[in-house]
Amino acid sequence: MVDPTGSTPGTRRAPISHYVLAGAFAAVATIAVALLVGATNPGDFWLAVGIGAMCTAYPALSLGARVFVSDHTVTRDAHGAESAESLWLKQAGAGAFLDVLVAMVVGAVVLMIGRFDVPALPALLAVIGLGVADAGLRYAVIRHRSLR
C-alpha cells in the first residue's frame, strides 16, 4: 500500500521526486559555482571550473538532501535542545563571550594608553582566535567536569 506521499507505511523514505529535486539542486548549484569560479580565473578557465565543481558538488548534494529529503527520513527529537551537549555549548559560548569582551576592553585601554599602532586585520584575527580557543577550552573543561 502506498500513501499520497509515495512512500510505503513503516519506511522512512522520501518520495522519489524529492531525491530528484535534491539532485537537480546539486547539479544547478555546482554548475553555477563552477562557472563563477571559472569566470574569476579566465586564464585557466576549464581548470578553475573543474576545481570549483569538485569543491562544490558534495556540499551542494548535502544541502539538497537536507532541504528536500531529510524532512521525510529524519525523526526530530522533541527535546534535542535540552541535551547535555547543547547545555555545555551554551555555557562555553556564554563564558567565552564574556572573556573576549573583557579582553577587548583591556586591549583597547592598553592600546589607547600606550599609543600603539596596530593594524586591524591581525587584531581582528587575534580576537577571533581568542574566542575560538576560549570556547573550545571551556567546552572541554565543562565536559570533563560533567563526565567525572
Side-chain angles (χ1 to χ4, degrees):
M1 171 157 219
V2 176
D3 68 3
T5 63
S7 62
T8 58
T11 62
R12 298 291 299 165
R13 293 189 55 92
I16 298 298
S17 62
H18 289 253
Y19 290 100
V20 171
L21 283 171
F25 172 82
V28 169
T30 299
I31 291 169
V33 170
L35 289 175
L36 181 67
V37 169
T40 60
N41 298 295
D44 293 320
F45 179 79
W46 290 110
L47 178 63
V49 167
I51 292 171
M54 286 190 296
C55 292
T56 307
Y58 182 74
L61 185 59
S62 296
L63 181 60
R66 169 72 175 98
V67 170
F68 296 108
V69 176
S70 69
D71 286 340
H72 299 281
T73 59
V74 176
T75 303
R76 305 281 182 225
D77 184 5
H79 303 289
E82 300 170 9
S83 69
E85 291 84 4
S86 177
L87 180 63
W88 297 340
L89 281 172
K90 287 177 186 174
Q91 289 174 346
F97 173 76
L98 291 175
D99 289 348
V100 169
L101 187 64
V102 168
M104 287 176 55
V105 168
V106 169
V109 168
V110 167
L111 289 174
M112 182 179 63
I113 292 173
R115 296 182 190 257
F116 298 111
D117 188 22
V118 178
L121 184 60
L124 180 60
L125 291 175
V127 169
I128 292 170
L130 172 67
V132 169
D134 191 358
L137 287 173
R138 280 181 171 273
Y139 177 81
V141 168
I142 292 169
R143 181 178 185 272
H144 177 73
R145 286 181 181 167
S146 297
L147 295 178
R148 237 188 313 160

